């Protein structure tokens, strides 16, 4: 009970913290629906047969230029350029015998399918695949050939092997695997009843695993990921890291606590000779911390590891490790992203061992003598070269490592706090992937986070050393599937600049950036703060680091860190003219009129002004006029509303006028009079006639007709012929007339008051 109240207090504190960061910053700069992504050619979808991807695995194979997906009884090989293009398929189901046994055990038919849980590149020509095989795991090899040209995709069906110890029995059993030097490293439950949790190394003639039933090593783990990371230049020191959560029983945390762990073993660990035969001689683990300091010095912990992403860098010994965590509290669900560097992780494994006398005692530092070679180190030259294999390790080393698998120091995240917090409880966060991007002012990690409602959030975080704060910049919110579904996989292809996003519906391929959508003006591009994009002198386009197109460099404007559009874009001649759109709008007296203006960014605040001489006056909502997300709405237009209106946006301190609207209020009588007028004397003074609507399209008669229709709707007039006549005569009659209007900007266009009909002319960036 007391714990519940505390969590609630912390929750409130967290909410306050996130609201301080500025309400508008919680909005993405762009929000794109699936339909919009589709229309902009930014996405392609591979739609799987219903139920076939309920439990699936996915492998990006850039050498073969394929995306391999293992689903229910089927392997798919998709084209990386277009996942929607025709694909190859392998049918690999459980045998009749397997299915029969499965049904005999009282299982349902769908459970007795072969769910492919492991796909790994095995050697130059083959993939290793393992499936559940109707609760009778099996493995096989898929021939994919040497190169892209061969295009082979074939099951070696005469070599189906038992998958015990390599694949789980249950379709939804958590499993992680990685192949390294012809050995499979895998974390799984190895038995039907899911009692035996194990981390395995499987070579062609040997294996190493965790001890059976040793809850000190693994206690009901939920595997999240695994990766091989070298320690130094000696390959015999290479280590395999496993990430998982497990149950812990500590006096502080109560009986049901869950912690996140990083565990590691030597890739060349052969186990011991007399003791620990075929068991790890190097298994150690440490706690991964992801927490926020709360009031009164009590931290809120995010202990449930949801996903892990290892960001490979040039230095392969020091990748970035990103964890997506949630709280384990029953009171509120919050999410956090924490980043870890290898120095911290290694420091924990090189630090003191944890020790306790009894299971109901507190953990303390082990203060006795630590044997040599240090438990957890690999048989390598770096460690003296005294041991060519772990089989030579002294018994006391093996005994120690077996009794002290836990490190005392937990691993703290970079900056000692999350990069990102999400405590609004609106949706679940499920997946994370990270891309490292070079920008004009440094390198940025672009985070892609998947949700349970088909959305991928694209964002960056910026650490400010002086204020010791982390700023979160939410760039885009992309709805990658048509209907809401949890995202269960995100893979980045750096080469192609695409994401491959998986769910049980299929796989969506999405372009990582589409710079043009931010707008073509320098200010819009700058304010977007997207490290992929820079203003190139004409438009917002993909930023290519210096060196490749050095001659273009001086035109480029980008400021990811500060988004300072004033500094970057002032003094650029084209700027203002490009930004402001001008419109003439007709309102009808006593009817409502909408002056349209939409911010190009959801993070911008809009303000309306009416021009009064050389001054302007801010418009405040009242019972006559209100500001809506679509624009300024006059509820009952008055003759005196006639005037010039400015729509101004403020974003990140940058002020710009984005629309200038001239409102003309007409009376129906006036219109009537106009149509009945016998002679039109061609004098502009007599009639404040607007310019020809399409001066740049002299022959576009059909477009003109379309426009007449719009005009008719505006005035609510039913006599088409007369309107046409009128327009022909007054506005578009002759070339002579057109020339007179040369000074009028071509982009003026007419819009009727009220809802816009027909196709939107400018791309809109929001969901309706
Ligand atoms: C999308 O692609 C189609 C066909 O290639 C093309 O006709 C269309 O103009 C493209 N749309 C956009 C917004 O680029
Ligand atoms: C790759 O492994 C498969 C399966 O064990 C084997 O048949 C094949 O010969 C191997 N290929 C190479 C190039 O080693
Ligand atoms: C508009 O409404 C006012 C009063 O509500 C009325 O006096 C006026 O005649 C109306 N004008 C038109 C053109 O309908
Ligand atoms: C006024 O608005 C109503 C409803 O939007 C419309 O039916 C009517 O035609 C409009 N009248 C004029 C004169 O535009």
């Amino acid at each position: 009970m007391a714990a519940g109240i505390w969590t609630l207090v912390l929750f409130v504190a967290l909410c306050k913290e996130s609201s301080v960061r500025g309400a508008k910053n919680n909005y993405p700069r762009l929000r794109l629906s699936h339909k919009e992504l589709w229309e902009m050619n930014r996405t392609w979808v591979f739609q799987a047969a219903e139920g076939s991807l309920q439990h699936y695995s996915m492998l990006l194979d850039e050498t073969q230029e394929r995306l391999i997906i293992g689903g229910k009884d089927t392997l798919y090989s998709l084209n990386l350029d277009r996942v929607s293009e025709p694909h190859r398929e392998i049918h690999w189901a459980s045998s009749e015998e397997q299915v029969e046994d499965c049904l005999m055990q009282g299982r349902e038919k769908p459970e007795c399918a072969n769910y492919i849980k492991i796909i790994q590149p095995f050697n130059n020509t083959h993939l290793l695949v393992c499936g559940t095989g109707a609760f009778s795991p099996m493995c096989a090899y898929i021939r994919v050939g040497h190169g892209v040209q061969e295009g082979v995709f074939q099951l070696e069906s005469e070599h189906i092997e038992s998958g015990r110890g390599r694949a789980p029995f249950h379709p939804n059993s958590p499993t992680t695997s990685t192949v390294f030097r012809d050995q499979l490293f895998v974390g799984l439950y190895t038995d039907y009843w899911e009692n035996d949790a194990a981390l395995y190394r499987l070579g062609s003639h040997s294996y190493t695993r965790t001890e059976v039933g040793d809850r000190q090593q693994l206690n009901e783990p939920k595997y999240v990921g695994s990766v091989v990371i070298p320690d130094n230049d000696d390959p015999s020191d290479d280590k395999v890291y496993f990430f998982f959560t497990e149950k812990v029983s500590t006096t502080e945390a109560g009986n049901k606590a869950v912690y996140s762990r990083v565990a590691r073993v030597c890739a060349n660990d052969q186990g011991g000779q007399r003791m620990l035969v075929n068991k790890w001689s190097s298994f150690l683990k440490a706690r991964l911390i992801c927490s926020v300091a709360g009031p009164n010095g009590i931290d809120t912990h995010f202990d449930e590891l949801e996903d892990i992403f290892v960001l490979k860098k040039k230095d392969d010994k020091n990748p970035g490790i990103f964890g997506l965590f949630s709280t384990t509290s029953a009171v509120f669900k919050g999410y956090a992203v924490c980043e870890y560097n290898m120095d911290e992780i290694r420091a924990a494994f090189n630090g003191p061992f944890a020790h306790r006398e009894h299971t109901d005692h507190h953990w303390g530092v082990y203060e006795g003598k630590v044997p040599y070679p240090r438990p957890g180190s690999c048989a390598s030259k770096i460690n003296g070269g005294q041991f060519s294999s772990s089989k030579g390790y002294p018994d006391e080393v093996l005994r120690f490592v077996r009794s002290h698998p836990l490190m005392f120091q937990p691993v703290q995240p970079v900056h000692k706090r999350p990069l990102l917090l999400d405590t609004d409880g609106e949706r679940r966060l499920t997946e994370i992937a990270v891309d490292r991007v070079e920008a004009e002012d440094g390198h940025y990690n672009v985070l892609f986070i998947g949700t349970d409602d088909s959305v991928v959030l694209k964002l960056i975080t910026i650490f400010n050393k002086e204020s010791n704060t982390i700023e979160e910049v939410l760039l885009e919110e992309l709805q990658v599937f048509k209907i809401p579904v949890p995202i269960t996989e995100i893979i980045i292809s750096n080469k192609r600049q695409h994401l491959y996003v998986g769910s049980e519906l299929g796989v969506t391929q999405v372009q990582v950036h589409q710079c043009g959508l931010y707008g073509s003006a320098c200010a819009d591009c700058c304010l977007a703060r997207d490290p992929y994009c820079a203003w190139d002198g004409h438009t917002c386009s993909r930023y290519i680091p210096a060196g490749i197109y050095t001659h273009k460099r001086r035109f480029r404007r980008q400021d990811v860190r500060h988004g300072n559009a004033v500094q970057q874009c002032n003094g650029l001649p084209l700027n203002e003219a490009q930004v402001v759109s001008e419109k003439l709008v007709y309102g009808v007296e006593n009817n409502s009129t909408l002056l349209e203006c939409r911010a190009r960014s959801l993070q911008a605040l809009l303000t309306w002004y009416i021009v009064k001489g050389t001054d302007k006056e801010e418009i405040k909502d009242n019972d006559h006029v209100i500001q809506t997300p679509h624009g300024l709405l006059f509820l009952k237009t008055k003759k005196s509303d006639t005037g010039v209106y400015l729509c101004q946006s403020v974003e990140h301190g940058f002020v710009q006028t984005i629309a200038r609207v001239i409102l003309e209020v007409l009376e129906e009588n006036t219109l009537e009079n106009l149509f009945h007028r016998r002679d039109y004397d061609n004098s502009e003074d007599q009639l404040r006639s607007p310019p020809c609507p399409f001066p740049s399209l002299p022959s576009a008669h059909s477009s003109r007709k379309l426009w007449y229709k719009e005009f008719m709707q505006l005035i609510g007039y039913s006599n088409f012929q007369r309107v046409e006549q009128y327009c022909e005569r007054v506005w578009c009659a002759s070339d002579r007339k057109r020339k007179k209007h040369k000074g009028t900007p071509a982009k003026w266009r007419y819009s009727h008051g009220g809802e816009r009909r027909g196709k939107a002319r400018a791309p809109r960036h929001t969901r309706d």
Side-chain angles (χ1 to χ4, degrees):
M1 190 60 199
I5 290 166
W6 263 117
T7 324
L8 209 59
V9 172
L10 291 172
F11 175 51
V12 172
L14 283 174
C15 290
K16 278 206 180 124
E17 177 171 313
S18 56
S19 67
V20 167
R21 286 183 297 180
K24 276 284 172 183
N25 280 344
N26 292 341
Y27 288 103
R29 195 154 201 289
L30 294 185
R31 178 178 286 152
L32 298 171
S33 69
H34 184 256
K35 187 160 169 277
E36 285 166 319
L37 285 171
W38 187 261
E39 283 168 358
M40 289 159 190
N41 293 336
R42 187 168 167 185
T43 196
W44 295 274
V45 179
F46 162 72
Q47 216 167 348
E50 206 187 317
S52 66
L53 297 188
Q54 242 158 32
H55 315 282
Y56 68 94
S57 45
M58 207 153 110
L59 174 75
L60 175 73
D61 184 351
E62 295 215 84
T63 53
Q64 311 281 345
E65 301 189 359
R66 310 298 294 177
L67 185 71
I68 313 289
I69 303 172
K72 178 184 170 186
D73 295 334
T74 314
L75 281 146
Y76 305 90
S77 165
L78 310 182
N79 183 339
L80 272 191
D81 284 329
R82 290 280 182 280
V83 294
S84 52
E85 280 189 1
H87 60 274
R88 288 157 171 271
E89 254 181 56
I90 291 173
H91 184 71
W92 183 34
S94 316
S95 67
E96 270 174 41
E97 206 182 354
Q98 282 171 317
V99 175
E100 235 166 71
D101 285 352
C102 179
L103 294 173
M104 291 258 285
Q105 282 160 349
R107 295 286 173 178
E108 300 291 327
K109 189 87 193 274
E111 291 178 292
C112 299
N114 182 31
Y115 292 92
I116 293 151
K117 298 283 286 184
I118 290 180
I119 310 177
Q120 289 289 341
F122 186 67
N123 59 25
N124 286 338
T125 54
H126 286 75
L127 304 176
L128 170 70
V129 292
C130 301
T132 56
F135 290 87
S136 164
M138 53 183 181
C139 293
Y141 298 91
I142 304 287
R143 200 151 73 82
V144 288
H146 267 295
V148 185
Q149 291 79 14
E150 271 187 66
V152 190
F153 189 58
Q154 201 173 44
L155 180 76
E156 303 281 13
S157 48
E158 64 278 16
H159 288 119
I160 310 278
E161 303 169 352
S162 161
R164 281 202 80 141
R166 292 193 276 185
F169 284 65
H170 283 254
N172 59 0
S173 183
T175 306
T176 178
S177 65
T178 184
V179 163
F180 182 63
R181 290 196 203 120
D182 299 336
Q183 309 177 92
L184 178 70
F185 292 88
V186 57
L188 80 170
Y189 286 87
T190 67
D191 60 329
Y192 182 86
W193 299 107
E194 305 235 293
N195 286 329
D196 180 37
L199 301 179
Y200 260 99
R201 176 192 67 83
L202 291 151
S204 46
H205 300 294
S206 68
Y207 74 90
T208 314
R209 58 158 293 167
T210 43
E211 294 239 34
V212 178
D214 182 349
R215 296 204 169 231
Q216 272 211 90
Q217 283 188 328
L218 295 173
N219 191 4
E220 296 179 43
K222 188 193 86 186
Y223 307 103
V224 179
S226 51
V227 63
V228 178
I229 302 172
D231 249 4
N232 47 56
D233 294 332
D234 184 352
S236 18
D237 247 351
D238 292 348
K239 297 190 172 69
V240 187
Y241 292 80
F242 289 93
F243 300 89
F244 56 93
T245 62
E246 67 173 345
K247 295 234 168 110
V248 287
S249 55
T250 64
T251 36
E252 310 96 89
N255 283 330
K256 279 189 183 163
V258 164
Y259 279 180
S260 293
R261 301 286 195 201
V262 52
R264 77 174 197 191
V265 291
C266 295
N268 66 357
D269 191 343
Q270 303 283 323
Q273 183 74 359
R274 286 178 302 276
M275 284 180 67
L276 295 189
V277 178
N278 292 332
K279 307 286 158 33
W280 299 110
S281 67
S282 58
F283 176 91
L284 295 177
K285 66 182 179 182
R287 183 179 176 193
L288 281 177
I289 296 275
C290 185
S291 66
V292 193
N296 314 317
I298 296 172
D299 294 350
T300 298
H301 282 273
F302 296 81
D303 276 323
E304 183 85 46
L305 183 62
E306 301 282 347
D307 192 25
I308 198 99
F309 187 86
V310 178
L311 177 64
K312 300 233 157 75
K313 296 189 187 160
K314 265 203 196 107
D315 174 8
D316 62 352
K317 298 179 207 73
N318 292 296
I321 313 259
F322 294 82
L324 170 65
F325 296 83
S326 66
T327 52
T328 52
S329 157
V331 182
F332 90 104
K333 204 79 183 157
Y335 294 86
V337 173
C338 279
E339 180 187 358
Y340 304 90
N341 60 39
M342 287 307 295
D343 289 346
E344 277 286 331
I345 292 179
R346 291 192 180 104
F349 286 115
N350 293 334
F353 293 90
H355 179 80
R356 64 177 174 183
E357 291 301 325
H358 285 287
T359 47
D360 53 353
H361 283 197
H362 283 272
W363 286 102
V365 171
Y366 174 78
E367 285 175 341
K369 186 176 165 290
V370 175
Y372 180 86
R374 185 183 156 93
S377 57
C378 306
S380 69
K381 287 193 205 77
I382 297 277
N383 292 314
Q386 206 175 327
F387 304 96
S388 60
S389 152
S390 57
K391 289 190 171 165
Y393 282 173
D395 285 356
E396 83 180 305
V397 170
L398 300 179
R399 217 172 283 128
F400 187 93
V401 81
R402 183 180 181 176
S403 56
H404 294 92
L406 180 66
M407 305 316 299
F408 181 73
Q409 306 277 15
V411 181
Q412 292 287 349
V414 175
H415 308 310
K416 299 256 185 305
R417 85 188 84 155
L419 287 181
L420 188 79
L421 273 180
D422 178 2
T423 52
D424 66 11
E426 271 178 26
R427 52 186 166 205
R428 290 197 299 120
L429 305 184
T430 54
E431 286 286 312
I432 183 167
V434 183
D435 192 15
R436 188 129 177 103
V437 182
E438 185 179 349
E440 188 80 15
D441 58 354
H443 285 83
Y444 291 88
N445 297 327
V446 180
L447 274 53
F448 296 92
I449 295 177
T451 71
D452 65 344
D453 60 353
S454 288
V455 166
V456 172
L457 304 167
K458 169 180 159 186
L459 51 96
I460 55 170
T461 60
I462 297 172
F463 180 63
N464 186 324
K465 221 182 216 165
E466 285 97 68
S467 61
N468 192 27
T469 52
I470 298 175
E471 183 191 1
E472 173 193 330
V473 184
L474 187 46
L475 301 166
E476 293 189 287
E477 187 181 307
L478 312 170
Q479 188 207 335
V480 298
F481 290 99
K482 204 164 162 184
I483 58 174
V485 67
I487 283 168
T488 42
E489 186 80 81
I490 303 178
I491 293 181
I492 299 177
S493 164
N494 217 282
K495 200 166 139 195
R496 289 183 160 69
Q497 304 271 296
H498 277 135
L499 298 179
Y500 300 91
V501 186
S503 78
E504 62 173 54
L505 298 179
V507 175
T508 291
Q509 173 187 3
V510 198
Q511 224 171 290
V512 171
H513 46 77
Q514 198 164 16
C515 301
L517 293 184
Y518 292 122
S520 59
C522 176
D524 289 322
C525 196
C526 236
L527 286 169
R529 302 172 75 189
D530 188 328
Y532 290 109
C533 304
W535 195 70
D536 62 10
H538 302 287
T539 184
C540 195
S541 63
R542 170 80 174 108
Y543 175 83
I544 295 153
I548 305 175
Y549 296 110
T550 347
H551 61 284
K552 273 196 175 174
R553 197 189 159 94
R554 62 201 171 92
F555 296 116
R556 293 185 306 175
R557 300 285 202 281
Q558 188 192 45
D559 180 11
V560 177
R561 177 159 273 272
H562 305 107
N564 190 339
V566 178
Q567 197 185 45
Q568 294 289 317
C569 305
N570 269 5
L572 292 172
L574 278 173
N575 210 30
E576 269 307 286
Q578 274 191 349
V579 176
V580 182
S581 84
E582 283 186 306
K583 282 200 279 202
L584 178 60
V585 168
Y586 290 105
V588 176
E589 196 177 355
N590 289 347
N591 251 19
S592 63
T593 308
L594 179 75
L595 307 188
E596 275 187 83
C597 177
R598 279 187 196 234
R600 274 178 284 257
S601 160
L602 297 178
Q603 289 166 3
L605 279 169
L606 294 186
T607 316
W608 279 92
Y609 295 92
I610 180 161
V611 175
K612 294 253 164 106
T614 53
D615 246 356
K616 60 184 196 215
E617 197 174 279
E618 186 179 336
I619 294 169
K620 295 256 167 41
D621 285 3
N622 55 41
D623 54 6
H624 176 58
V625 58
I626 49 174
Q627 301 189 36
T628 75
H630 302 272
L632 187 66
L633 179 67
F634 293 89
L635 297 172
K636 193 172 177 191
T637 315
K638 291 186 291 200
K639 193 78 187 145
S640 60
D641 291 328
T642 300
V644 179
Y645 294 82
L646 299 179
C647 171
Q648 211 166 61
S649 98
V650 183
E651 182 177 16
H652 210 70
F654 186 77
V655 181
Q656 59 178 336
T657 301
I658 54 176
R660 193 181 138 86
V661 185
I662 299 160
L663 174 65
E664 293 259 357
V665 180
L666 306 175
E667 289 172 39
E668 215 171 357
N669 302 352
T670 324
L671 294 166
E672 281 292 324
N673 287 343
L674 286 177
F675 298 129
H676 289 295
R677 195 180 268 239
R678 285 264 164 101
D679 301 304
Y680 177 62
D681 65 1
N682 245 355
S683 138
E684 281 169 56
D685 303 343
Q686 281 225 333
L687 185 79
R688 293 189 59 209
S689 77
C692 181
F694 295 100
S696 56
L697 300 167
S699 60
H701 196 73
S702 56
S703 330
R704 247 188 257 156
K705 273 230 174 88
L706 263 178
W707 180 81
Y708 297 150
K709 268 196 199 151
E710 243 180 62
F711 183 76
M712 265 188 352
Q713 282 167 338
L714 155 74
I715 62 172
Y717 210 83
S718 54
N719 191 332
F720 177 79
Q721 243 183 341
R722 273 196 299 170
V723 177
E724 181 156 44
Q725 220 179 356
Y726 173 78
C727 289
E728 285 284 350
R729 282 177 57 198
V730 179
W731 294 337
C732 304
S734 65
D735 289 334
R736 183 171 50 89
K737 173 85 181 144
R738 222 172 276 134
K739 278 185 193 124
K740 278 195 179 175
H741 288 289
K742 232 175 155 182
T744 312
K747 61 179 165 293
W748 277 43
R749 67 181 188 81
Y750 304 84
S751 156
H752 52 81
E755 196 186 336
R756 180 148 66 176
R757 265 151 255 185
K759 224 176 159 184
R761 277 151 225 224
R764 279 180 298 141
H765 303 145
T766 48
R767 246 191 286 224
D768 276 329

